[in-house]
Amino acid sequence: MSKHVTIRGSGVAGLSVAAELTARGHPVSVVDPAMGPGKQACSWWAGGMLAPDCEGFLAEEPVVRLGRDAADWWQDKGAQVIRRGTIVVALQRDARELDTFARRTQNHRWLDREALAAAEPQLGGRFSRALLMTDEAHLDPRRTLLALKARLGDAGVAFLPEADDRGQVIDCRGLAARDTLPELRGVKGEMVILRARDVTLTRPVRLLHPRFPLYIVPRGDGVFMLGATQIESTDRSHATVRSVMELLNAAYALDPGFGEAELLEIGVDARPAFPDNLPRVCRVGDRVHVNGLFRHGFLLAPAMARMAADVLETNSKPELWHEDHA
Amino acid sequence: MPTFYGTEIASRMMLGTAQYPSPKVLADAFRRSGAGVATVSLRREASGGGNAGQQFWSLIQDLDVAILPNTAGCHSVREAVTTAQMARELFDTRWIKLEVIGHADTLQPDPFGLVEAARILTDEGFQVFPYCTEDLVLCDRLLEAGCEVLMPWGAPIGTGLGLNNIYGLRSLRAHFPDVPLVVDAGLGLPSQAAHAMELGYDAVLLNTAVAKAGDPAAMAEAFAGAVAAGAAGHAADPMPPRDMAAPSTPVLGKAFLE
C-alpha cells in the first residue's frame, strides 16, 4: 500500500523528510554520495537555533508560524532539544536597535540588569537590559543529524551512495538542485566554533549590531558556535579573514571571556535560497523538490517534511507549494 | 531628470541593494519607488571567485534599471581601483561609485585617497561617481580629477541622521550649478530626502533607510513621494523666508498695529 520513496540528499531537509515518511509507514531510502550527514551539507554548519520569533524580525510570516512546531517535532524524533529561550542584547551605543527588535517581534519579555544576571550571570554585568525570547529552543545540529541517521537506520532506511531511483523521488539536494531549480541561489555563511572555558552562557545569545550582528549558540562542554555572515555569494570554499575577524570581534565585545578561547573550527557554506527567502515544495517532471530552506534549515525542515509527505499521500498542494517552477 | 555622463535617468531616486530581508523585497522596493539606478557592491560578494555573486547580480540586472557598481568596503586606493576594474568586467559598465573609506568606525570617506583613485580611474576610462564629504575644496579637486558627478554625504553611511551640514550642501549647489549633485548616505526619513531636493540637488541615493524599515517597499514608495515633492517644490521657485509675518488676506478696514 505504501509506496517506496527515494530521497536525494542527506542534509537536514532530506533526513527530516525521511523521518516524517518513515513515521507515516513509508519505506524509504536515502541517496547521497556521502551516505549520510556531514560537511558537504550546509546544515552541518548550522546554528541549530529553533528561534521563530527572532527570525520574524526579518523573515516573512510563514517562517514564524511554521517554525513554532519545530522544537516539538525534533524532540519527537529523539533530538535533545534545549528549551531555554534566546537572549537578545545590544551594545549601549546601539540601544535603539533593541527597541526596534522588540517592536517587531513577539513572545518576549524585558530583563533588567538583575534579571539578566540571574539568567546569564556573565551578561548581567555588561548589559543593563535584554530581551528574553521565551518560547525558543536550540539543538546541536551535528549530534541531531547523526542521531537521526542512526534512528532511521534502525527503522530500516537504507543510506546509499548512489542508486537507481525507486518509486517517488524527493529531491532535497539543496544548492546542488540548481540544475533543475534555476531560481535557487547561494547565500554564503561563515561561522566559527570555539571552546571558551571562561564563558558560561547556557542559551543562544544574539547581539544586535548595525554592521556586525552575531549569534552565539552553546554546544555544551564550553564549546560555542559563532555565526554567521550572510553574503550574496555561492562561494563555499573559504571563509575570509574579514568575516572571521568580525565574528570574533563581536563575540569579544559581548563577553571578553572569548578572548582566550581555543579556535576549533572555521566553517563556510552557502545556504540554498529562493528570491523570497522562503522554502518551497514543488514538482519538476516526476520529482518532488523540497528546497530553499535558507537560514531556517532546522526551524523549517519539520514543516517542509510534513508538506512533502502530504503531497505524496494525498497529492494535495500545501502552503509553500510552488506551481510554475521550471 | 538627472543626467549622469550623458545618460538621462527617469527618476531622481537611486537605491542601494544591500541588507534587504530578501531579493523579492528588494525588487518590490524598486518597483514601488520607481528608482532609476541600483548600486551594487561586489567587494565581499566576489571573494572566492569573480562570479560567486552572479546569481544575486542577475536578480538585480532583472530589475531593468541602470546599474552603478560600487567599491563599498574598500579602505585603500588600490583596493578601490581593483574592485572598480572587476566591476567593469562583471557589469559591463564604465560607471563606478567610488568609495574609499578613511575611518572604519564612521565610514567617513578618505578625501585624499578618493581624489587619487578618481584620477586613476578616470584615466582608465571610468565614469566616476565619488562618494565624498560636502567639503567644497575636495569637490573641486574631484572635478579636476575628471569626475562629472558629485555624491556628497548627508551624514555617515547607515546613520539615518539626515542632512548634517545644510550650509555646506547649499554651498556646493551654488558653486557647481551645472554638476549633477546627489546626496548619498545618511538619509533616514522621507522628509530629509525632500529637503535635499529642495536644496536643488539632482537626486538622492539611499539604502539602509529603506532596507531596514519594517516595510521596506512601503518606505521606498514614501521616499519616492518625498523626492518628487521636494523636486517639484524647488522647481516652483520657493518664496524666501521672511522675518515679517505677511497676512495672506488684505487687512483693509483694520487698524495698523503700530
Side-chain angles (χ1 to χ4, degrees), chain A residues 43 45-51 137-141 204 215 217 219 225 298:
Chain A
S43 40
W45 307 101
M49 289 177 294
L50 305 173
H138 68 285
L139 48 72
D140 181 328
Y215 59 77
V217 192
R219 293 275 165 83
M225 181 267 192
F298 285 86

Side-chain angles (χ1 to χ4, degrees), chain A residues 178 185-186 211 234 243 275 277, chain B residues 21 23-24 44 52 55 104-105:
Chain A
R178 210 177 120 72
R185 77 186 196 287
R211 275 150 71 187
T234 48
S243 293
N277 288 348
Chain B
K24 178 178 177 293
R44 284 190 105 163
Q55 290 172 2
D105 201 35

Side-chain angles (χ1 to χ4, degrees), chain A residues 257-275:
Chain A
F258 283 111
E260 297 305 318
E262 304 158 30
L263 280 169
L264 301 181
E265 238 180 300
I266 292 172
V268 57
D269 212 319
R271 315 162 177 97
F274 290 111

Side-chain angles (χ1 to χ4, degrees), chain B residues 192-209:
Chain B
Q192 297 160 351
H195 195 176
M197 302 313 296
E198 286 162 1
L199 294 177
Y201 274 63
D202 295 276
V204 296
L205 195 169
L206 51 143
N207 189 340
T208 312

Side-chain angles (χ1 to χ4, degrees), chain B residues 71-91:
Chain B
T71 63
C74 293
H75 290 249
S76 70
V77 172
R78 201 180 65 169
E79 273 181 292
V81 168
T82 310
T83 304
Q85 290 163 339
M86 197 186 296
R88 181 162 60 180
E89 299 271 313
L90 289 168
F91 294 100

